Each structure stands twice: as structure tokens, then as C-alpha cells.
Amino acid sequence: AWRVRASRRLADNGADLVLGNHPHVLQPREIYQGTEIVYSLGNFCFGGSRRPENRTIIYQLILHIENGELASSDSEIIPCYVHTGAGVNNYCPAPISDESLRRQVLDFMDGKAKLPC
């Protein structure tokens, strides 16, 4: 609850984007009064566990500049595996290519699913 309050307070005070991190697992995102809040990116490359939850994301922000000014921006979430080893963490993150597995992560990030896998 504190993370939601703090993130929304940042948005209320002018933040255009809030990217959170630390709980070592993915947490859904939300759009709060026009500000995108991603509560946690998960673990992209993490060695603290032999078998970490095997889903993470790359958050990509694309800024479109015209005549030296910000014209617009887009964001994309790229679902990834934390590791590519068979049941063990080999510290090799990689984008998820299977569309149904990608969709599970994206649905979780949008609050449409309870778990990302």
C-alpha cells in the first residue's frame, strides 16, 4: 500500500513516469491520472536465488523528438525470462518468444491475470 501511495504522490507532483523496483518479482502497472506507474520490473539478471521466479520485463520508453522538442512518447513492455537454464538460474535473461507466454506476462502487468506465469 505504501508503494502505491508514494508512486501516486510522485505522479500528483508532476512525475511523467514512475518506475519501481526492489521486491524481486514483477508487480502490475497502472495509469494513474495520465502517469504510467510500473511498480516493479522484477529481476532482470539476479544471482541471489538458484531458482528465481522466471519472468521479468524490459521496459522500453520511446521518445519522439521533433524540432528539438518532445512530440510524443510510447512505452513497450517486453516480457523476458530471468534465466534460460532448465530449472536452474544460468544468469542468461532472454525475451519470451512464445506468444501465449508473452501474453500471460502482459496480462499480469495490466492487472488482467493474478500471476505472470
Side-chain angles (χ1 to χ4, degrees):
W2 72 266
R3 191 179 310 268
V4 172
R5 284 192 311 273
S7 297
R8 289 179 176 180
R9 191 171 186 187
L10 289 168
D12 288 340
N13 284 282
D16 295 314
L17 171 67
V18 179
L19 290 177
N21 205 18
H22 180 70
H24 299 282
V25 294
L26 287 175
Q27 292 180 332
R29 68 177 169 169
E30 75 168 324
I31 305 296
Y32 171 76
Q33 296 188 15
T35 299
E36 186 170 16
I37 300 172
V38 180
Y39 288 100
S40 176
L41 301 170
N43 288 318
F44 187 71
C45 187
F46 181 66
S49 173
R50 289 182 180 201
R51 299 180 81 162
E53 181 180 302
N54 197 17
R55 299 297 186 269
T56 188
I57 62 169
I58 296 170
Y59 178 87
Q60 185 174 36
L61 180 64
I62 303 154
L63 303 175
H64 304 277
I65 309 296
E66 294 177 7
N67 300 320
E69 299 287 328
L70 179 63
S72 64
S73 64
D74 295 303
S75 65
E76 180 181 4
I77 288 180
I78 303 167
C80 295
Y81 297 111
V82 173
H83 57 82
T84 56
V88 65
N89 187 1
N90 64 356
Y91 310 102
C92 294
I96 298 172
S97 58
D98 180 280
E99 187 54 38
S100 67
L101 297 177
R102 285 176 42 79
R103 177 57 35 211
Q104 284 178 290
V105 173
L106 294 172
D107 285 348
F108 173 78
M109 293 303 295
D110 289 334
K112 298 175 186 173
K114 292 187 184 254
L115 295 171
C117 52

